[in-house]
Amino acid sequence: MSAVVITEEVLVAAGVAEGKAKEILGSKEKAEIVQALFGQAIGICGSASQLGEARGKAVLEAAQKLKATVSPAAKAMLVELICRKEGAGIHSPEQLTAAMTFLNKGGAEPTLQELEAAGGVGIVVTEEDIRNAVLASIQANHDSVQEQKHHAVATVMKDVRAKHPFGSGSKIKAVTDEEFVKLFGPPGDLDAERKELSRQKRKETKKSNKEAAAAEPAASAAAAAAVPEPAAAAAAEPAAAAAAGAEAPKAHKEQVITPWEVDAEDGVDYTKLIKDFGCDPITPQLLDRLTKLNIKLHRFLRRGIFFSHRSLDVTLDGYEKGKPFYLYTGRGPSSDSMHLGHLIPFIFTKYLQEAFNVPLVIQMTDDEKYLVKENLTLDADPKTGVTHMLYENAKDIIACGFDPKRTFIFSDLEYMGGEFYKNVVKVQKRITVNQATHCFGIEGGDNIGKMSFVAVQAAPSFPSSFPHLLKGDEICLVPCAIDQDPYFRLTRDVAPRIGYEKPSLIHSKFFPAMTGSQTKMSSSTNSPTTIFLTDTPEMIADKVKKYAFSGAPSTLEEHRLKGANTDVDVAYQYLTFFLEDDEELERIRSEYSTGKMTTAQVKQKLIAVLQEVVLHHQKERAKITDETVRQFMSTAKRF
């Protein structure tokens, strides 16, 4: 086996893409492990062509994703199982993922029998097995399936995957889709249904606000004047224009950006958001300042994904003078599965924590989700309980790699009290009903908890809320999506009035929906277009191929002539978030926008990138236990 020389031609013959083969052999570290595993595999099968594309890709994935701590003997056992004949070894993506997860966990040296069991060797999941599981799930979830129809497909697939972890993801999806078509007919345009409901809601809200403005013009003006941040005046301008008889913009051109809704039919205008919200753009000068502080720029900064801020320069002024700061971000646990978009602020926050070596607090807003989601309960029910969802989401967050010694995760429902609650009350006392109403678009039919929650989200901005962790003189820096800014506009207004420094913010753009940049990726567990962190490689590929909006012309001939619009092409936009290599991203942009690359090629690249991101996350998450979560949430923690 050691006599086999692994060349670029050998890898290509085994199904490895030519560019990938060059990249592997150009890296000494990668070449060594590939040489060892492919040498063994070709020795077993006889030649690269007999190894074949499917097994070749499996060996490559093992070479890339097995940890260095996995012993050569264990790696050799996995290669042996990959090279076995169909039915007697490891051949499906599900089997390979399970086997690699088992090996990467470490522990005692595994036996062949243990690895076979972990990889589901010999387990045959037939189409009949899958269909029976689908029908059982539909029956168990009868009421929600009848109500949600095709939107409930993801729920059923999740149940089937839990029952048959080694079943083919594509077969599970195909059978599930088939049974739902039998029940409800073809699915139609699910995204159009969601948009129409959103439009109707905005129309009703606009009508209600207009009536309220006509009835209480003086109160509206007073409320706007009470908020000194620039966004308040900007928010009041449309109402004032309507009262003066000015012609308002057409409804279909308005973008709606609130903590609960994002909808912009022409795509989100971030330049307009900066102006409307009154925040500052992240300029090249600010990025140069970070570089001079020996802070390596994250791709999110290099590409303008984090694009605006409030007082980031003030935080850096303090940092240069030795004044400490801490990070604060959060997550509202409304389902037990997070999606790709939810990762963005946590990926960036981890980068900031490492770059500046600072402490971090993560607020889990289980109280707010219970207040705004009708179906949630205050318990650990696996389907509706916010406590269950909190623990599941916390595992996803911890899997991002935060420093356990400098990270505190807390539940509002469990932690609130003492100094934290004192700060909540201080903020509540200084925010009026009119301010909350006009800042968030809260209506008379909303519960009072929704209005008062702004104070709960404000409290972690003040270091005195964490007396067991912080000294009390730190500045707070909040990385968040731009739709969370309204909370902190009010927080920044209140801070000096209760003797605290204003928190600084750094805002990200939205991770767009698969169907286009009119809104952000849906959090609904029933959305067929959302890529969840629990999705299989096949599910990711299927969603990207079916739903990712293309910015290319409708015909190949026209595309070759004009090229694609990468500003609206979702596959390319997703690559800007997750493809690390700037040069490769620019090459794709150049070739795609000039018609040299096709939509199918760009989507295929995205599929490979996302499959790797999600698989890595799943491996890291598999290491997180309930005890790990409790350690991160321990109030005995000291920074």
Side-chain angles (χ1 to χ4, degrees):
M1 283 186 271
S2 59
V4 179
V5 178
I6 305 302
T7 63
E8 182 182 324
E9 291 74 19
V10 170
L11 291 178
V12 171
V16 180
E18 185 176 343
K20 191 67 176 179
K22 289 180 179 178
E23 177 191 333
I24 290 168
L25 297 178
S27 165
K28 182 180 178 182
E29 183 180 353
K30 292 180 181 179
E32 286 179 357
I33 181 65
V34 167
Q35 172 75 42
L37 298 194
F38 268 89
Q40 179 193 354
I42 291 172
I44 293 172
C45 296
S47 67
S49 59
Q50 288 177 315
L51 174 63
E53 182 174 342
R55 288 187 292 194
K57 287 183 176 179
V59 173
L60 177 61
E61 188 170 350
Q64 291 177 315
K65 297 177 180 178
L66 284 176
K67 291 183 177 179
T69 53
V70 178
S71 71
K75 292 175 181 175
M77 283 194 293
L78 180 58
V79 171
E80 178 192 334
L81 292 176
I82 290 171
C83 293
R84 282 184 184 178
K85 66 180 181 179
E86 192 71 32
I90 289 176
H91 304 292
S92 73
E94 293 78 14
Q95 289 180 306
L96 182 60
T97 298
M100 290 192 297
T101 299
F102 171 72
L103 292 178
N104 283 334
K105 283 183 178 179
E109 186 70 8
T111 65
L112 180 61
Q113 291 74 21
E114 289 172 336
L115 184 57
E116 287 177 332
V121 173
I123 295 177
V124 178
V125 181
T126 66
E127 184 172 322
E128 182 180 0
D129 294 331
I130 292 171
R131 193 174 304 278
N132 288 338
V134 168
L135 294 174
S137 176
I138 290 173
Q139 180 64 33
N141 297 282
H142 178 269
D143 291 346
S144 61
V145 168
Q146 290 298 319
E147 178 184 353
Q148 299 170 12
K149 297 183 172 57
H150 287 281
H151 293 283
V153 163
T155 299
V156 171
M157 288 181 64
K158 186 175 181 180
D159 287 349
V160 178
R161 169 61 61 201
K163 184 173 179 61
H164 296 299
F166 299 110
S168 164
S170 58
K171 283 185 180 179
I172 290 173
K173 176 162 179 48
V175 172
T176 306
D177 285 343
E178 182 182 331
E179 292 300 328
F180 271 74
V181 169
K182 289 179 184 177
L183 286 171
F184 306 114
D189 192 342
L190 300 179
D191 198 59
E193 292 175 17
R194 182 198 59 76
K195 286 183 178 179
E196 181 57 32
L197 288 173
S198 180
R199 288 192 188 98
Q200 290 297 329
K201 181 180 177 182
R202 291 203 312 276
K203 185 176 179 181
E204 292 170 6
T205 301
K206 186 176 178 182
K207 180 180 178 182
S208 175
N209 288 345
K210 188 173 180 181
E211 290 172 352
E216 298 181 289
S220 299
V227 185
E229 291 280 348
E237 286 173 8
E247 184 178 350
K250 293 182 180 179
H252 73 278
K253 291 295 182 183
E254 294 176 353
Q255 59 181 16
V256 178
I257 310 295
T258 75
W260 304 286
E261 182 181 8
V262 174
D263 203 312
E265 292 187 4
D266 297 320
V268 177
D269 185 340
Y270 290 101
T271 302
K272 184 176 186 298
L273 268 185
I274 288 177
K275 179 181 177 182
D276 289 349
F277 281 11
C279 43
D280 297 309
I282 293 178
T283 62
Q285 291 77 16
L286 190 56
L287 296 180
D288 286 343
R289 187 175 178 185
L290 288 169
T291 302
K292 289 175 182 176
L293 289 171
N294 294 320
I295 303 299
K296 182 180 178 182
L297 296 182
H298 194 276
R299 65 179 182 273
F300 291 171
L301 288 171
R302 300 196 304 267
R303 298 170 188 171
I305 290 171
F306 274 78
F307 72 104
S308 72
H309 72 99
R310 290 185 186 274
S311 303
L312 178 59
D313 51 339
V314 174
T315 300
L316 294 179
D317 288 342
Y319 179 76
E320 289 174 336
K321 297 173 183 176
K323 183 174 177 62
F325 74 90
Y326 70 101
L327 299 167
Y328 156 40
T329 192
R331 161 73 184 147
S334 59
S335 69
D336 61 1
S337 179
M338 290 168 58
H339 62 60
L340 281 177
H342 293 141
L343 279 184
I344 304 306
F346 292 110
I347 290 172
F348 191 68
T349 301
K350 175 179 179 289
Y351 153 76
L352 291 173
Q353 185 183 51
E354 291 182 345
F356 290 97
N357 190 29
V358 291
L360 162 68
V361 296
I362 300 176
Q363 181 183 40
M364 302 298 283
T365 58
D366 41 4
D367 52 344
E368 185 258 355
K369 287 306 173 188
Y370 172 72
L371 290 168
V372 301
K373 299 283 187 179
E374 291 296 330
N375 64 313
L376 298 187
T377 55
L378 292 174
D379 52 37
D381 185 284
K383 291 189 177 181
T384 62
V386 290
T387 301
H388 167 75
M389 294 169 184
L390 182 149
Y391 265 73
E392 294 303 306
N393 286 191
K395 290 175 182 178
D396 279 316
I397 293 167
I398 294 168
C400 292
F402 291 108
D403 181 353
K405 296 179 181 179
R406 300 181 70 79
T407 304
F408 175 52
I409 300 175
F410 66 97
S411 151
D412 284 344
L413 291 173
E414 294 180 6
Y415 181 72
M416 200 182 321
E419 296 304 315
F420 187 96
Y421 188 60
K422 288 179 185 178
N423 282 334
V424 170
V425 174
K426 289 177 184 178
V427 175
Q428 287 176 334
K429 187 173 182 177
R430 289 161 178 83
I431 294 178
T432 68
V433 172
N434 281 334
Q435 283 179 303
T437 298
H438 287 276
C439 195
F440 299 110
I442 293 172
E443 302 173 9
D446 289 326
N447 65 60
I448 60 173
K450 187 174 180 181
M451 180 178 292
S452 64
F453 177 73
V454 60
V456 180
Q457 185 152 325
S461 304
F462 311 129
S464 61
S465 294
F466 307 99
H468 63 298
L469 296 172
L470 302 171
K471 295 178 180 178
D473 62 344
E474 298 91 342
I475 298 176
C476 179
L477 174 60
V478 184
C480 61
I482 187 66
D483 59 340
Q484 296 301 301
D485 185 76
Y487 283 116
F488 296 103
R489 290 206 297 272
L490 289 180
T491 303
R492 284 167 57 83
D493 175 37
V494 168
R497 292 193 274 145
I498 56 177
Y500 296 143
E501 292 189 71
K502 294 182 178 184
S504 300
L505 285 87
I506 182 166
H507 304 120
S508 73
K509 295 178 179 178
F510 300 117
F511 190 69
M514 188 82 75
T515 49
S517 57
Q518 296 90 347
T519 187
K520 61 182 179 179
M521 179 168 276
S522 171
S523 297
S524 170
T525 55
N526 298 314
S527 172
T529 64
T530 297
I531 296 179
F532 292 98
L533 299 180
T534 52
D535 280 355
T536 64
E538 291 148 319
M539 291 167 71
I540 293 170
D542 186 66
K543 289 177 180 181
V544 171
K545 289 176 183 177
K546 280 187 177 180
Y547 300 113
F549 179 81
S550 172
S554 56
T555 66
L556 181 59
E557 182 180 3
E558 188 179 3
H559 174 63
R560 295 297 190 195
L561 182 65
K562 298 179 179 178
N565 180 356
T566 55
D567 290 338
V568 300
D569 188 273
V570 167
Y572 176 78
Q573 290 301 315
Y574 280 16
L575 286 172
T576 67
F577 281 86
F578 288 107
L579 181 61
E580 179 62 37
D581 191 323
D582 288 344
E583 291 184 4
E584 185 176 7
L585 182 67
E586 173 55 26
R587 177 189 64 78
I588 292 170
R589 187 205 63 76
S590 176
E591 293 186 5
Y592 192 29
S593 63
T594 56
K596 293 179 182 178
M597 283 186 78
T598 64
T599 296
Q601 289 173 315
V602 176
K603 285 187 175 183
Q604 197 56 49
K605 176 63 181 178
L606 175 65
I607 288 167
V609 169
L610 295 187
Q611 286 174 336
E612 183 172 355
V613 168
V614 173
L615 180 61
H616 173 76
H617 181 86
Q618 290 171 350
K619 288 179 179 177
E620 294 303 310
R621 191 188 189 283
K623 304 172 187 175
I624 312 301
T625 64
D626 287 349
E627 179 57 30
T628 309
V629 176
R630 284 190 285 270
Q631 290 172 5
F632 271 85
M633 297 181 71
S634 171
T635 54
K637 184 186 291 288
R638 299 292 184 270
F639 288 158

